[in-house]
Amino acid sequence: MTAYLVKPLQPQQLIEPVESLAQAAPAAEQQSVPNVVEPHVEGIVDEADALKLAGGDHALRRELAQLFLTELPDKLANLRTAAAAGDAEQLRLAAHALKGSTAAVGGRAASDASSRIEHLGRSANLAAARAALADLEAALEQLAAALQESAHGPSSLPRRSQSAQAAKAGRRPRKHP
């Protein structure tokens, strides 16, 4: 098969070649997936958009949400590191990665906040980007909690270490014995 996909990825672009391959598979190997209604978390997750991006496949939508939750700590750490280092280009790239992954799971507020930081990074406005980071972190906390709750029950986004929180507040970190 010789095909390529361009961003933004449209589910139908991927589904058509996969379906043609699946039709060639023996019928005994094909399994049906029950139609499951996803829980809706009002205002935080756009379930309809997330399901549309997953091509209407509820299992794929849940898998994308789980992948997002797994990758979120590293992506957020990259963003925080770039902001702390004053690296506008890395900040832009990290925000761009978060923008795409948050949009893929229906997190509009987090995607919009990521987009804001991406644009601020592009213009090298680091002071404004650092200020906008708090809004993004709050949106990501809500999104992660909503996705986790819809899948397994309550959870939260990993927090900064006490020393990082103290440094940001201008205090000396507490030493543990």
Side-chain angles (χ1 to χ4, degrees):
M1 182 170 120
T2 57
Y4 64 94
L5 302 172
V6 294
K7 288 173 73 175
L9 179 65
Q10 298 298 316
Q12 200 59 34
Q13 291 175 315
L14 181 60
I15 292 171
E16 288 172 355
V18 171
E19 283 181 343
S20 68
L21 290 172
Q23 289 172 354
E29 292 179 6
Q30 296 179 3
Q31 299 176 357
S32 67
V33 177
N35 188 9
V36 178
V37 175
E38 296 287 333
H40 178 71
V41 181
E42 191 64 39
I44 298 171
V45 178
D46 184 337
E47 294 289 346
D49 200 31
L51 192 56
K52 180 181 175 185
L53 287 169
D57 185 333
H58 291 274
L60 177 58
R61 186 251 175 266
R62 284 189 301 276
E63 188 175 332
L64 290 171
Q66 188 58 48
L67 181 62
F68 170 81
L69 291 169
T70 301
E71 293 179 347
L72 181 57
D74 288 339
K75 287 184 179 187
L76 187 54
N78 291 341
L79 188 71
R80 288 174 176 160
T81 300
D87 188 335
E89 180 61 12
Q90 286 303 311
L91 181 74
R92 183 191 70 77
L93 292 170
H96 179 78
L98 270 169
K99 179 180 72 172
S101 59
T102 54
V105 295
R108 286 189 178 178
S111 183
D112 290 346
S114 298
S115 182
R116 248 186 325 275
I117 293 175
E118 179 184 13
H119 290 294
L120 291 167
R122 182 175 290 118
S123 64
N125 189 343
L126 293 169
R130 285 186 191 110
L133 186 56
D135 291 338
L136 174 58
E137 288 178 340
L140 288 170
E141 176 80 26
Q142 290 178 339
L143 178 59
L147 291 172
Q148 190 69 27
E149 186 176 317
S150 71
H152 304 109
S155 177
S156 71
L157 188 61
R159 301 277 186 184
R160 293 181 186 202
S161 69
Q162 284 184 348
S163 59
Q165 289 174 356
K168 184 176 180 189
R171 300 184 316 255
R172 297 185 112 193
R174 290 188 304 168
K175 301 229 177 189
H176 295 284

